[in-house]
Amino acid sequence: MKAMKTLAVAALMASVAVPAFAEQRTLVFNTDASDPAPKAAFEQLVADFEAAYPEIDVVVNTFDHEGYKTAIRNFLTADSPDLANWYAGNRMRPFVEAGQFTDVSDVWAANGLNESLGSALSSMTIDGKQWGVPYTYYQWGIYYNKDAYAKAGVDADSIQTWDDFISACEKFEAAGIDCLTTGSKALWPIAGIFDYLDLRTNGYDFHMQLTSGDIAWTDDRVKAVFAEWAKVLPYTTANHAAIDWQDAVSNIVQGSAANYVIGNFAVAAFKDGGLTNDNLGFMQFPEITPGLARAEEAPTDTIHIPAGAKNVEDAKLFLAFLASPEVQTKMNGTLGQLPINSGSSVGDDPYLAAGFEMLSTADGGIAQFFDRDAPAEMAKAGMEGFQEFMVKPERLDDILERLEKVRARVYQ
């Protein structure tokens, strides 16, 4: 692993005062990687880092997921570690604006990360600076039943634009197949549909401004998103509000529905239901506004250096190590997700391979998902509004007025 230290890392560390020979240094790392796969991935990451840098001990404090959401707000102000994991985009913004995360633009510059981690650059940048290093994400997109496509006489490769998709929906309807399925009982699955429609209609910057509270929900550009959504509603599973996301998986498995906008985590459920690589397909969400830079939906996990860190130099060394293609390849092999470094590799899983290619070439930005990009109260109200629109699209103006009132309250 020592060979993984790059010249850039060496250059970064050249200015760091070297302690007396054999003096042990310590890094304190707080994380919520408590589930089996993340825990194993982090244990291996730390072991490899310590093997590469035996003069550094990494002390890991592991919290459960829910407890961590509260704990991070406490330890960033009271007893700061040297490293802490979190999330990209607007989820890290409050900590950046409160001065609780350290600017690590020098790590990005010294290691060429603007290029190798380029797909996540926009989601890691605030005020022109980078505030952490991303290490994993997973794609959202359209998963589809190839047998349903064959039955309806639809060629998946012919779907490049949203208009193409809607035209295909007419063929699915004629074949007695729902074009699009989802389960909105728990609300969150349909947020992925909204996100993609907005990203394809208005672009990444607009979407981030909307979820940051800078754009009114009554804006005509927001209404344009719902106009596109309205086109697919007649072809969407009618009882979506009564079913969970797993029930919608069953619709795809059984062939009663053709397409599902969902994250890559659903592949296991599709295969548990009986689909295989031969009849489960994946495609990126189609183009709506011609020529708009392609943004994608990929919740991104990150590691940051708190402003109160005691060992900033070694923490930056850890981030540089984490960003390397070899480390990200190995870590994500354990996580079953996607490395962000474009020089990394993925196995022969066709969905991970397709996702890696799609995300690595996204030139329009990476969104984090509606309930990560928007504050909790706004996210809840928004997703309730999305569900109501899907059931009663004629109420759109009232829904948007209500969301605008929530925006005025939440972003004060």
Side-chain angles (χ1 to χ4, degrees):
M1 293 295 290
K2 284 182 179 291
M4 293 173 56
K5 291 186 285 186
T6 64
L7 292 175
V9 173
L12 178 67
M13 295 304 296
S15 62
V16 178
V18 179
F21 181 74
E23 179 181 341
Q24 205 70 17
R25 296 166 353 232
T26 300
L27 273 176
V28 178
F29 182 13
N30 287 6
T31 173
D32 66 348
S34 55
D35 290 341
K39 186 176 182 181
F42 272 81
E43 287 174 349
Q44 188 62 60
L45 168 67
V46 168
D48 289 346
F49 179 78
E50 289 180 334
Y53 300 96
E55 69 277 14
I56 303 173
D57 279 330
V58 182
V59 177
V60 180
N61 299 315
T62 303
F63 299 74
D64 69 88
H65 291 304
E66 290 305 311
Y68 192 77
K69 294 176 184 178
T70 300
I72 190 171
R73 288 164 174 78
N74 293 331
F75 66 62
L76 287 180
T77 57
D79 186 19
S80 178
D82 301 303
L83 297 159
N85 73 289
W86 195 239
Y87 309 104
N90 285 344
R91 284 293 295 276
M92 74 176 184
R93 180 177 292 275
F95 297 128
V96 172
E97 293 179 345
Q100 293 176 316
F101 280 167
T102 297
D103 173 10
V104 294
S105 302
D106 55 344
V107 177
W108 283 68
N111 293 277
L113 303 186
N114 286 22
E115 291 74 37
S116 61
L117 304 183
S119 62
L121 177 61
S122 58
S123 65
M124 297 305 303
T125 301
I126 295 175
D127 295 334
K129 302 173 183 177
Q130 289 72 55
W131 300 92
V133 165
Y135 63 90
T136 188
Y137 51 17
Y138 66 88
Q139 84 270 20
W140 275 63
I142 297 176
Y143 292 82
Y144 63 93
N145 184 319
K146 295 180 182 179
D147 294 337
Y149 268 67
K151 180 180 177 181
V154 177
D155 177 8
D157 292 336
S158 70
I159 298 177
Q160 301 297 319
T161 69
W162 186 237
D163 286 342
D164 294 338
F165 188 84
I166 300 304
S167 294
C169 285
E170 297 172 0
K171 295 180 180 179
F172 287 119
E173 182 181 45
I177 299 169
D178 289 339
C179 181
L180 182 67
T181 193
T182 190
S184 70
K185 184 177 180 180
L187 299 179
W188 62 264
I190 55 175
I193 301 175
F194 173 81
D195 285 352
Y196 262 120
L197 288 169
D198 192 27
L199 291 169
R200 293 290 184 267
T201 302
N202 295 310
Y204 176 83
D205 289 341
F206 179 92
H207 188 66
M208 290 299 101
Q209 290 168 10
L210 178 65
T211 54
S212 296
D214 297 328
I215 291 174
W217 281 88
T218 51
D219 189 292
D220 285 344
R221 293 167 294 179
V222 177
K223 292 179 181 179
V225 176
F226 287 92
E228 298 300 335
W229 200 342
K231 294 177 182 178
V232 79
L233 291 182
Y235 309 109
T236 302
T237 298
N239 70 334
H240 62 83
I243 64 175
D244 287 316
W245 76 269
Q246 297 96 329
D247 301 311
V249 166
S250 296
N251 291 339
I252 296 292
V253 169
Q254 295 163 8
S256 61
N259 301 284
Y260 193 176
V261 179
I262 196 70
N264 195 62
F265 57 82
V267 168
F270 288 130
K271 290 189 172 182
D272 286 346
L275 293 182
T276 69
N277 293 349
D278 292 331
N279 53 12
L280 177 65
F282 173 80
M283 71 174 78
Q284 65 189 38
F285 200 93
E287 179 185 75
I288 295 178
T289 299
L292 192 66
R294 178 170 58 82
E296 299 294 345
E297 184 101 304
T300 306
D301 292 351
T302 55
I303 295 180
H304 306 264
I305 301 175
K310 300 175 181 63
N311 188 354
V312 174
E313 290 79 7
D314 286 341
K316 288 184 175 182
L317 183 60
F318 188 94
L319 292 187
F321 183 85
L322 173 72
S324 70
E326 299 89 347
V327 168
Q328 293 212 350
T329 295
K330 186 173 185 179
M331 202 173 177
N332 280 279
T334 301
L335 290 170
Q337 297 191 162
L338 294 171
I340 296 167
N341 192 303
S342 59
S344 296
S345 60
V346 295
D348 56 3
D349 180 291
Y351 312 103
L352 288 177
F356 185 67
E357 171 65 19
M358 182 181 80
L359 297 182
S360 296
T361 57
D363 57 353
I366 299 293
Q368 297 306 298
F369 202 73
F370 189 75
D371 64 0
R372 285 191 181 194
D373 285 326
E377 186 179 353
M378 187 74 250
K380 181 176 183 293
M383 292 186 291
E384 290 171 347
F386 303 158
Q387 185 196 57
E388 182 179 351
F389 168 75
M390 292 182 71
V391 176
K392 298 287 186 180
E394 67 274 11
R395 295 181 184 172
L396 178 61
D397 287 342
D398 290 339
I399 293 168
L400 295 181
E401 289 287 352
R402 186 172 70 244
L403 294 183
E404 179 58 18
K405 290 178 181 177
V406 176
R407 181 184 78 96
R409 182 174 69 252
V410 168
Y411 298 95
Q412 289 181 350

